[in-house]
Coordinates of all heavy atoms in Angstrom, one line a residue:
N1 N 119.3 84.3 62.8 CA 118.1 83.8 62.2 C 118.0 82.4 61.9 O 117.0 81.9 61.3 CB 117.7 84.7 61.0 CG 118.8 84.6 59.9 OD1 119.9 84.9 60.1 ND2 118.3 84.1 58.7
V2 N 119.1 81.6 62.2 CA 119.1 80.2 61.9 C 119.7 79.5 63.1 O 120.4 80.1 64.0 CB 119.8 79.8 60.6 CG1 119.1 80.3 59.4 CG2 121.3 80.3 60.7
T3 N 119.6 78.2 63.2 CA 120.1 77.4 64.3 C 121.5 76.9 64.0 O 122.1 76.2 64.8 CB 119.2 76.2 64.7 OG1 119.1 75.4 63.6 CG2 117.8 76.7 65.2
D4 N 122.1 77.2 62.9 CA 123.3 76.6 62.4 C 124.4 76.7 63.4 O 124.5 77.7 64.2 CB 123.8 77.2 61.1 CG 122.8 77.0 59.9 OD1 121.8 76.3 60.1 OD2 123.1 77.5 58.8
A5 N 125.3 75.7 63.4 CA 126.5 75.8 64.2 C 127.4 76.9 63.6 O 127.2 77.4 62.5 CB 127.3 74.5 64.2
E6 N 128.5 77.2 64.4 CA 129.4 78.3 64.0 C 130.1 77.9 62.7 O 130.6 76.7 62.5 CB 130.4 78.5 65.1 CG 131.5 79.5 64.9 CD 132.4 79.7 66.1 OE1 133.3 78.9 66.2 OE2 132.1 80.5 67.0
L7 N 130.3 78.9 61.8 CA 131.1 78.7 60.6 C 132.5 79.2 60.9 O 132.6 80.4 61.2 CB 130.5 79.4 59.4 CG 131.2 79.4 58.1 CD1 131.3 77.9 57.6 CD2 130.6 80.3 57.1
A8 N 133.4 78.4 61.0 CA 134.8 78.7 61.4 C 135.5 79.6 60.4 O 135.3 79.5 59.2 CB 135.6 77.5 61.7
S9 N 136.4 80.4 60.9 CA 137.2 81.3 60.1 C 137.9 80.6 59.0 O 138.1 81.1 57.9 CB 138.1 82.1 60.9 OG 139.0 83.0 60.1
A10 N 138.4 79.4 59.3 CA 139.2 78.6 58.4 C 138.4 78.3 57.1 O 139.0 78.1 56.1 CB 139.7 77.4 59.0
S11 N 137.1 78.2 57.2 CA 136.3 77.9 56.1 C 136.4 79.0 55.0 O 136.5 78.7 53.8 CB 134.8 77.8 56.5 OG 134.7 76.8 57.5
N12 N 136.4 80.2 55.4 CA 136.7 81.4 54.5 C 135.9 81.3 53.2 O 136.4 81.5 52.2 CB 138.2 81.5 54.3 CG 138.5 82.9 53.7 OD1 137.7 83.9 53.9 ND2 139.6 83.0 53.0
V13 N 134.6 80.9 53.3 CA 133.8 80.8 52.1 C 132.7 81.7 52.0 O 131.9 81.7 51.1 CB 133.3 79.3 52.0 CG1 134.4 78.3 51.8 CG2 132.4 79.0 53.2
A14 N 132.5 82.6 53.0 CA 131.3 83.3 53.1 C 131.5 84.8 53.3 O 130.5 85.5 53.5 CB 130.4 82.8 54.2
G15 N 132.7 85.3 53.3 CA 132.9 86.7 53.7 C 132.9 86.8 55.2 O 132.1 86.0 55.9
K16 N 133.6 87.7 55.8 CA 133.7 87.7 57.2 C 134.3 89.0 57.8 O 134.9 89.8 57.0 CB 134.6 86.5 57.7 CG 136.1 86.6 57.2 CD 136.9 85.5 57.6 CE 138.4 85.6 57.1 NZ 139.2 84.4 57.5
V17 N 134.2 89.2 59.1 CA 135.0 90.2 59.8 C 136.3 89.5 60.0 O 136.4 88.5 60.7 CB 134.3 90.6 61.1 CG1 135.2 91.4 61.9 CG2 133.0 91.3 60.8
S18 N 137.3 90.1 59.4 CA 138.7 89.4 59.4 C 139.5 89.9 60.6 O 140.5 89.3 61.0 CB 139.4 89.7 58.1 OG 139.5 91.1 57.8
A19 N 139.2 91.1 61.1 CA 140.0 91.6 62.3 C 139.2 92.7 63.0 O 138.4 93.4 62.4 CB 141.3 92.2 61.7
F20 N 139.5 92.8 64.3 CA 138.9 93.9 65.1 C 140.1 94.9 65.3 O 141.1 94.5 65.8 CB 138.4 93.4 66.4 CG 137.2 92.4 66.3 CD1 137.4 91.1 66.3 CD2 136.0 92.9 66.0 CE1 136.3 90.2 66.2 CE2 134.9 92.1 65.9 CZ 135.1 90.7 65.9
N21 N 139.8 96.2 65.0 CA 140.8 97.2 65.1 C 140.5 98.2 66.2 O 139.3 98.2 66.7 CB 140.9 97.9 63.7 CG 141.0 96.9 62.6 OD1 141.8 95.9 62.7 ND2 140.2 97.1 61.5
S22 N 141.4 99.1 66.5 CA 141.2 100.1 67.5 C 140.0 101.1 67.1 O 139.4 101.7 68.0 CB 142.5 100.9 67.7 OG 142.9 101.6 66.5
S23 N 139.8 101.2 65.8 CA 138.7 102.2 65.4 C 137.5 101.5 64.7 O 136.7 102.2 64.1 CB 139.3 103.2 64.4 OG 139.9 102.6 63.3
G24 N 137.5 100.1 64.6 CA 136.4 99.4 64.0 C 136.8 98.0 63.7 O 137.4 97.3 64.5
F25 N 136.4 97.6 62.4 CA 136.7 96.2 62.0 C 137.0 96.1 60.6 O 136.6 97.0 59.8 CB 135.6 95.2 62.4 CG 134.2 95.7 61.9 CD1 133.8 95.3 60.6 CD2 133.4 96.4 62.7 CE1 132.6 95.7 60.2 CE2 132.1 96.8 62.2 CZ 131.7 96.4 61.0
S26 N 137.7 95.1 60.1 CA 138.0 94.9 58.7 C 137.2 93.7 58.2 O 136.8 92.8 58.9 CB 139.5 94.5 58.6 OG 140.3 95.6 59.1
L27 N 136.9 93.8 56.8 CA 136.1 92.8 56.2 C 136.9 92.1 55.1 O 137.8 92.6 54.4 CB 134.9 93.4 55.6 CG 133.9 94.1 56.5 CD1 132.8 94.8 55.8 CD2 133.3 93.1 57.5
E28 N 136.5 90.8 54.8 CA 137.0 90.1 53.7 C 135.8 89.5 52.9 O 134.7 89.3 53.5 CB 137.8 88.9 54.1 CG 139.2 89.2 54.6 CD 140.1 88.0 54.9 OE1 139.6 86.9 54.6 OE2 141.1 88.2 55.4
T29 N 135.9 89.4 51.6 CA 134.9 88.8 50.8 C 135.0 87.3 50.8 O 136.0 86.7 51.2 CB 134.9 89.3 49.4 OG1 136.2 89.0 48.8 CG2 134.7 90.8 49.3
G30 N 133.9 86.6 50.3 CA 133.9 85.2 50.2 C 133.0 84.8 49.1 O 132.5 85.6 48.3
S31 N 132.8 83.5 48.9 CA 132.0 83.0 47.8 C 130.6 82.5 48.1 O 129.8 82.3 47.2 CB 132.8 81.8 47.2 OG 133.0 80.7 48.1
L32 N 130.3 82.4 49.4 CA 128.9 81.9 49.8 C 128.1 83.1 50.1 O 128.1 83.8 51.1 CB 129.0 81.0 51.0 CG 127.7 80.4 51.5 CD1 127.2 79.5 50.4 CD2 128.0 79.5 52.7
S33 N 127.2 83.5 49.1 CA 126.5 84.7 49.2 C 125.5 84.8 50.3 O 125.2 85.9 50.8 CB 125.7 85.0 47.9 OG 124.7 84.0 47.7
I34 N 125.0 83.7 50.8 CA 124.0 83.8 51.9 C 124.5 84.3 53.2 O 123.8 84.7 54.1 CB 123.3 82.4 52.1 CG1 124.2 81.4 52.6 CG2 122.5 82.0 50.9 CD1 123.6 80.1 53.1
L35 N 125.8 84.3 53.4 CA 126.4 84.8 54.6 C 127.4 86.0 54.3 O 128.1 86.4 55.2 CB 127.2 83.7 55.3 CG 126.4 82.7 56.1 CD1 127.4 81.7 56.7 CD2 125.7 83.4 57.2
S36 N 127.3 86.6 53.1 CA 128.2 87.7 52.8 C 128.0 88.9 53.7 O 126.9 89.3 54.0 CB 127.9 88.1 51.3 OG 128.7 89.2 51.0
V37 N 129.1 89.5 54.0 CA 129.1 90.7 54.8 C 129.7 91.8 54.0 O 129.9 93.0 54.5 CB 129.8 90.6 56.1 CG1 129.1 89.6 57.0 CG2 131.3 90.3 55.9
N38 N 130.1 91.5 52.7 CA 130.9 92.5 51.9 C 130.6 92.3 50.5 O 131.5 92.4 49.6 CB 132.4 92.3 52.2 CG 133.2 93.5 51.7 OD1 132.7 94.5 51.4 ND2 134.5 93.2 51.5
G39 N 129.3 92.1 50.1 CA 128.9 91.9 48.7 C 129.0 93.2 47.9 O 128.7 94.2 48.5
S40 N 129.3 93.1 46.7 CA 129.4 94.3 45.9 C 128.1 95.0 45.7 O 127.1 94.4 45.4 CB 129.9 93.9 44.5 OG 130.0 95.0 43.6
S41 N 128.1 96.3 46.0 CA 127.0 97.2 45.9 C 125.8 96.9 46.9 O 124.8 97.6 46.8 CB 126.4 97.1 44.4 OG 127.4 97.5 43.5
N42 N 126.0 96.0 47.8 CA 125.0 95.8 48.8 C 125.1 96.8 50.0 O 126.2 97.3 50.2 CB 125.1 94.4 49.4 CG 124.6 93.3 48.5 OD1 123.9 93.6 47.5 ND2 125.0 92.1 48.7
S43 N 124.0 97.1 50.6 CA 124.1 98.0 51.8 C 124.0 97.2 53.0 O 123.2 96.3 53.1 CB 122.9 99.0 51.7 OG 123.0 99.8 50.6
Y44 N 124.8 97.6 54.0 CA 124.9 96.9 55.3 C 124.8 97.9 56.5 O 125.0 99.1 56.3 CB 126.2 96.1 55.4 CG 126.4 95.1 54.3 CD1 127.0 95.4 53.1 CD2 126.0 93.8 54.6 CE1 127.1 94.4 52.1 CE2 126.2 92.8 53.6 CZ 126.7 93.1 52.4 OH 126.9 92.2 51.4
V45 N 124.4 97.3 57.6 CA 124.5 98.0 58.9 C 125.2 97.2 59.9 O 125.1 96.0 59.9 CB 123.0 98.4 59.4 CG1 122.2 97.2 59.7 CG2 123.1 99.3 60.6
G46 N 126.0 97.8 60.7 CA 126.7 97.1 61.8 C 126.4 97.7 63.1 O 126.4 98.9 63.3

């Protein structure tokens, strides 16, 4: 929904998909809420 360049994994400030697994994917939290994929009590779809 924005034109922004890629936010690299090394930034680790926004929450991310940290790994792709045989049965799905793993998530990490971060501090930048506008890009969070793992915020507390939020509902998500993938």
